[in-house]
Amino acid sequence: MSIKIALAGNPNCGKTTLFNALTGSNQFVGNWPGVTVEKKEGRLKGHKDVIIMDLPGIYSLSPYTLEEVVARNYLIGERPDAILNIVDGTNIERNLYLSTQLMELGIPVIMAINMMDIVAKNGDKIHIEKLSQKLGCEVVEISALKGTGIQQAAEKAIAVANKKKNAIPVHKFQAELESVLDSIEDKLGNDVPEEQKRFFAIKLLEKDEKIESQLKRVPDVSEEITLVEREMDDDTESIITNERYTYISSIIGECYTRSKRDKLTVSDKIDQIVTNRFLAIPIFAAVMFLVYYVSVTTVGTWATDWTNDNLFGDGFTFFGIDIPGIPVMIENLLVAIGCADWLQGLIVNGIVAGVGAVLGFVPQMLVLFVFLAFLESCGYMARVAFIMDRIFRKFGLSGKSFIPMLIGTGCGVPGIMASRTIENDRDRKMTIMTTTFIPCSAKLPIIALISGALFGGAAWVAPSAYFVGIAAIICSGIILKKTKIFSGDPAPFVMELPAYHMPTLENILRSMWERGWSFIKKAGTIILLATIVVWFASYFGWVDGQFRLLDTLELDHSVLAALGSSVSWLFAPLGWGNWKSAVAAITGLIAKENVVGTFGILYGFAEVAEDGTEIWGTLAGSMTAVAAYSFLVFNLLCAPCFAAMGAIKREMNNTRWFWYAVGYQTILAYVVALCVYQIGTLITTGTFGFFTFVAFALIIGFIGLLIRPMKEYKTTKSKSVAGAK
């Protein structure tokens, strides 16, 4: 019989690092049943019968975010054999709030205090034995990053699980509160196991409405609630919260010795610079510029160029052996077996050209993912959320909104799903509507394509795309917050800032591979199917009244050309009204990578990113530099891919709101792209026309929406997060 061990802890406590170290490659990632929160489980290395469940990072077991609900439902419903509670040793007082709740569940708990190497470096001391005695559970020291003590923690968790001895919380509240809780436990009777009675009694006293679904019979505790609130002059939820912190403070006073140091820690010294009121934003801008410069313009481009010139090009020489490129190899194979012309065209000009065009950008993406993984793991991105909270709050959004946007740099789908951590419904909806403005990994090939083909690989193009997204978010926040449906104060932002540390190469490479593999799988499924459809639609059409296979000089007679021409007039004011560009933008709604794949098919080449060749000239000849930047802006800001739109539909849980979100994104993209092209053309060529006038009118109207005064609307106050201090 297998043993289930749940990993539980606050966000940024090192839980995921510990999970990766304990399970290695024996991981299974999916979603929790019925919800879009990621579910991670794996088998402990060397123990086939031990399953490790990585619960979402949470601050408490209060049901205010989906992560908290998921974690609580699992712990109550599944009843794992043991809980391995990871605590950040550098923020131990705040982390112990969740620990007190976990112990009330009646499940054996092993506490693993992480980052002990940093605690020691700071000169602090945690008295492990005394802490264990005070809490009533075994406590071990670990460093998940360095791998010290983690196996011992796992073995101890297995040991307490095998004993099947339920934990009994030793912490006590005030005498009056204890007597009331005893009374509620009596009312629960035999409907709740003895070891769970304390947890359910506390939740009933806190007036936790969602706890009712966990009980067969809900006892009437109104008398007890009234008694406590009258005696202690506060609401029961606040009373319980204060009692917990009073208990934790008493423990910390005896079990934690802070060094008497006048000097600041290394993290404090770094934060004085990177979170400085005046330097924070310029530093963040410089960091992101460097990330995109290296990923898209220099190292990433060199790697991508080699891939396209050699792997997806004519081939390369390896130790004196000439190895043909994938397109040449496949074409030679098809000719050798006597493949039909139409099938050969489908495979070479459709699948290889389309999918190969997208896969050619994988090296650039992997370089970008390495940078993002490093910034997240070292602790800087947590500071960025804190920095952006200052800005976002002025424009109607919370720093919590930046977390989904940060996740969205990898993929818009988990970014949209991450909005569920925002309790305020208005802020959550606004975040969903704006998260996909941040360039995700699927948009990186479009950025690299436009940068290389039309701007000669200019260093400013890629970073500007990132900051166009930030500007769109800020402007949207200002405008939307002044409407009745989005009015009100932004949700409070509470987040622990982890100490800076050097991430391990293993963790960085694992994060890079997980994101990169997700992209490659999409190229092998959705993009593969899309390129086949695009090829058939572009290489079949009517010529002289006959429907037949076309050659490359007859693409203007294709089915795709007819469809593209019917809508291309819509994009003429944006500077790219030819049918090929229109079709590329539309196929991008299936998956943004399709934009590049479609160009690969329509222009008849696979080496899309090959800088400085006639291929770039072919693409550049179809639009001006200003039109190309307009095309880039439109594809960055318009409605996202089908997968992300599906996530928006699920998270909004309302068809009307879904169309509001998609419609707002598309209209904003069209307006911004139109203004970029019309004003840009006026500056570069001096051309002034009707749509130039429209662009100026739109800019004036946009500025008016930004500066108009805020109206006061009656709004209902949202409930604050329990335990947030």
Side-chain angles (χ1 to χ4, degrees):
M1 187 175 178
S2 62
I3 295 173
K4 291 184 179 179
I5 299 174
L7 301 186
N10 288 186
N12 297 315
C13 69
K15 183 167 55 63
T16 300
T17 303
L18 176 62
F19 175 74
N20 290 334
L22 291 176
T23 60
S25 60
N26 305 315
Q27 298 180 12
F28 311 95
V29 181
N31 282 342
W32 291 89
V35 296
T36 51
V37 174
E38 189 175 69
K39 176 182 182 179
K40 277 189 175 182
E41 64 176 274
R43 295 192 180 276
L44 180 65
K45 290 179 183 177
H47 296 77
K48 293 183 179 180
D49 59 338
V50 178
I51 297 173
I52 306 291
M53 178 62 70
D54 184 17
L55 295 179
I58 54 175
Y59 288 112
S60 74
L61 293 179
S62 302
Y64 294 114
T65 68
L66 187 66
E67 281 77 4
E68 291 170 346
V69 173
V70 164
R72 192 174 78 170
N73 288 348
Y74 175 80
L75 292 171
I76 295 175
E78 296 295 325
R79 297 287 297 175
D81 299 294
I83 298 173
L84 188 54
N85 174 211
I86 298 88
V87 170
D88 178 359
T90 63
N91 280 311
I92 188 168
E93 185 170 1
R94 177 66 185 88
N95 280 229
L96 286 179
Y97 186 90
L98 174 63
S99 302
T100 59
Q101 293 180 312
L102 293 174
M103 292 171 196
E104 291 161 357
L105 289 166
I107 300 172
V109 175
I110 294 292
M111 180 178 290
I113 302 183
N114 193 22
M115 305 184 194
M116 286 300 295
D117 52 329
I118 300 176
V119 172
K121 189 176 181 180
N122 291 339
D124 300 335
K125 177 70 176 177
I126 298 176
H127 306 284
I128 300 298
E129 292 185 4
K130 188 174 289 186
L131 182 62
S132 175
Q133 182 183 359
K134 290 286 184 180
L135 291 173
C137 72
E138 195 160 359
V139 181
V140 295
E141 299 180 4
I142 69 168
S143 173
L145 191 65
K146 295 185 176 180
T148 56
I150 61 172
Q151 200 59 40
Q152 179 192 9
E155 295 293 343
K156 287 185 178 294
I158 294 171
V160 297
N162 284 324
K163 289 180 181 177
K164 298 190 183 301
K165 184 179 179 182
N166 295 316
I168 300 174
V170 299
H171 62 270
K172 299 292 183 182
F173 299 127
Q174 289 188 37
E176 300 92 335
L177 200 55
E178 281 292 326
S179 63
V180 168
L181 289 171
D182 289 340
S183 173
I184 296 175
E185 288 180 29
D186 290 338
K187 286 187 176 182
L188 287 168
N190 296 325
D191 293 333
V192 175
E194 192 68 32
E195 64 272 11
Q196 296 184 39
K197 283 186 176 180
R198 172 48 61 101
F199 176 80
F200 280 101
I202 291 173
K203 288 301 169 188
L204 287 171
L205 189 62
E206 288 180 324
K207 295 176 280 192
D208 185 342
E209 296 176 357
K210 293 183 180 179
I211 202 67
E212 296 181 6
S213 61
Q214 308 286 345
L215 293 170
K216 298 177 182 177
R217 177 184 59 86
V218 182
D220 181 13
V221 296
S222 56
E223 184 179 338
E224 285 82 356
I225 291 173
T226 302
L227 175 63
V228 169
E229 291 184 340
R230 186 177 62 245
E231 289 291 327
M232 307 186 78
D233 194 27
D234 205 345
D235 66 276
T236 52
E237 188 175 19
S238 298
I239 292 168
I240 294 292
T241 299
N242 290 330
E243 287 287 304
R244 290 192 193 282
Y245 276 113
T246 300
Y247 170 70
I248 291 168
S249 296
S250 67
I251 290 178
I252 293 298
E254 295 184 43
C255 303
Y256 182 73
T257 304
R258 184 179 294 275
S259 66
K260 296 179 180 179
R261 58 179 186 272
D262 296 326
K263 62 180 183 179
L264 297 172
T265 64
V266 174
S267 288
D268 291 335
K269 291 177 181 177
I270 296 174
D271 280 340
Q272 282 187 327
I273 299 172
V274 301
T275 63
N276 180 274
R277 183 177 298 273
F278 303 105
L279 297 177
I281 297 301
I283 289 173
F284 173 56
V287 168
M288 296 313 298
F289 177 87
L290 179 64
V291 167
Y292 277 89
Y293 178 75
V294 175
S295 303
V296 179
T297 309
T298 55
V299 176
T301 297
W302 301 335
T304 289
D305 284 348
W306 185 93
T307 302
N308 286 315
D309 291 342
N310 299 282
L311 194 60
F312 289 104
D314 296 329
F316 56 97
T317 301
F318 184 73
F319 287 105
I321 302 173
D322 291 332
I323 300 176
I326 291 175
V328 176
M329 193 184 303
I330 292 176
E331 187 172 8
N332 291 339
L333 176 63
L334 294 176
V335 171
I337 64 176
C339 182
D341 290 344
W342 72 268
L343 183 57
Q344 184 176 328
L346 168 62
I347 296 173
V348 176
N349 299 323
I351 296 174
V352 176
V355 177
V358 176
L359 290 180
F361 287 96
V362 168
Q364 280 182 321
M365 299 178 67
L366 294 180
V367 174
L368 175 64
F369 292 157
V370 165
F371 276 104
L372 293 178
F374 177 82
L375 292 175
E376 290 170 6
S377 299
C378 75
Y380 177 67
M381 280 305 189
R383 270 75 180 178
V384 173
F386 166 72
I387 294 164
M388 296 308 292
D389 182 58
R390 296 178 187 167
I391 299 175
F392 278 22
R393 191 163 293 278
K394 293 178 181 178
F395 304 124
L397 285 169
S398 161
K400 279 190 176 182
S401 298
F402 187 73
I403 304 299
M405 294 165 194
L406 175 61
I407 296 171
T409 57
C411 177
V413 175
I416 293 165
M417 292 190 297
S419 64
R420 285 195 169 188
T421 60
I422 302 173
E423 300 85 8
N424 187 295
D425 186 61
R426 297 183 304 272
D427 291 351
R428 186 173 60 83
K429 283 186 169 67
M430 194 189 306
T431 301
I432 292 170
M433 291 175 67
T434 56
T435 290
T436 55
F437 289 153
I438 291 289
C440 65
S441 60
K443 295 175 183 177
L444 184 64
I446 308 175
I447 297 171
L449 174 68
I450 299 301
S451 173
L454 280 303
F455 295 95
W460 62 269
V461 177
S464 73
Y466 187 86
F467 290 108
V468 163
I470 292 287
I473 291 166
I474 291 174
C475 291
S476 295
I478 296 172
I479 293 171
L480 294 176
K481 207 66 179 178
K482 292 179 180 179
T483 62
K484 185 175 182 179
I485 54 178
F486 289 111
S487 63
D489 295 329
F493 181 46
V494 180
M495 183 181 183
E496 295 288 352
L497 295 181
Y500 287 103
H501 57 273
M502 184 62 68
T504 62
L505 181 62
E506 180 186 357
N507 287 336
I508 291 176
L509 294 179
R510 181 190 295 275
S511 176
M512 177 202 71
W513 174 247
E514 287 177 354
R515 289 174 169 176
W517 180 240
S518 176
F519 177 84
I520 293 169
K521 284 191 293 184
K522 189 188 290 186
T525 52
I526 298 172
I527 299 168
L528 173 63
L529 179 62
T531 54
I532 292 173
V533 172
V534 170
W535 182 86
F536 269 108
S538 59
Y539 277 85
F540 279 87
W542 284 269
V543 178
D544 298 328
Q546 184 183 6
F547 185 78
R548 63 175 175 81
L549 178 66
L550 309 175
D551 60 40
T552 54
L553 298 177
E554 297 176 315
L555 295 186
D556 287 341
H557 298 285
S558 66
V559 173
L560 199 63
L563 293 174
S565 298
S566 66
V567 297
S568 60
W569 60 272
L570 285 170
F571 304 109
L574 279 58
W576 37 281
N578 64 81
W579 69 268
K580 292 182 180 180
S581 298
V583 165
I586 292 170
T587 58
L589 294 176
I590 301 172
K592 289 300 178 184
E593 304 92 326
N594 277 338
V595 173
V596 176
T598 301
F599 275 134
I601 295 171
L602 297 181
Y603 287 101
F605 52 83
E607 303 90 350
V608 176
E610 190 176 354
D611 193 12
T613 70
E614 70 279 6
I615 290 169
W616 285 140
T618 302
L619 184 59
S622 66
M623 62 177 79
T624 65
V626 176
Y629 199 78
S630 165
F631 180 83
L632 174 62
V633 167
F634 180 83
N635 282 279
L636 290 177
L637 301 182
C638 78
C641 64
F642 281 175
M645 281 194 272
I648 292 174
K649 178 69 167 60
R650 288 194 303 271
E651 298 307 313
M652 289 293 194
N653 198 28
N654 183 297
T655 302
R656 187 177 64 175
W657 270 105
F658 164 73
W659 287 113
Y660 280 162
V662 172
Y664 175 78
Q665 292 166 344
T666 306
I667 291 171
L668 179 66
Y670 192 92
V671 168
V672 175
L674 185 145
C675 292
V676 166
Y677 176 69
Q678 295 297 333
I679 305 300
T681 302
L682 176 64
I683 294 171
T684 56
T685 67
T687 304
F688 190 96
F690 171 74
F691 283 105
T692 313
F693 172 79
V694 172
F696 276 111
L698 288 171
I699 291 172
I700 293 170
F702 195 74
I703 293 173
L705 291 173
L706 289 174
I707 64 175
R708 74 187 181 108
M710 178 83 74
K711 288 185 179 180
E712 292 292 333
Y713 297 101
K714 289 183 178 180
T715 57
T716 55
K717 292 184 178 179
S718 60
K719 204 170 187 180
S720 59
V721 181
K725 281 200 172 185

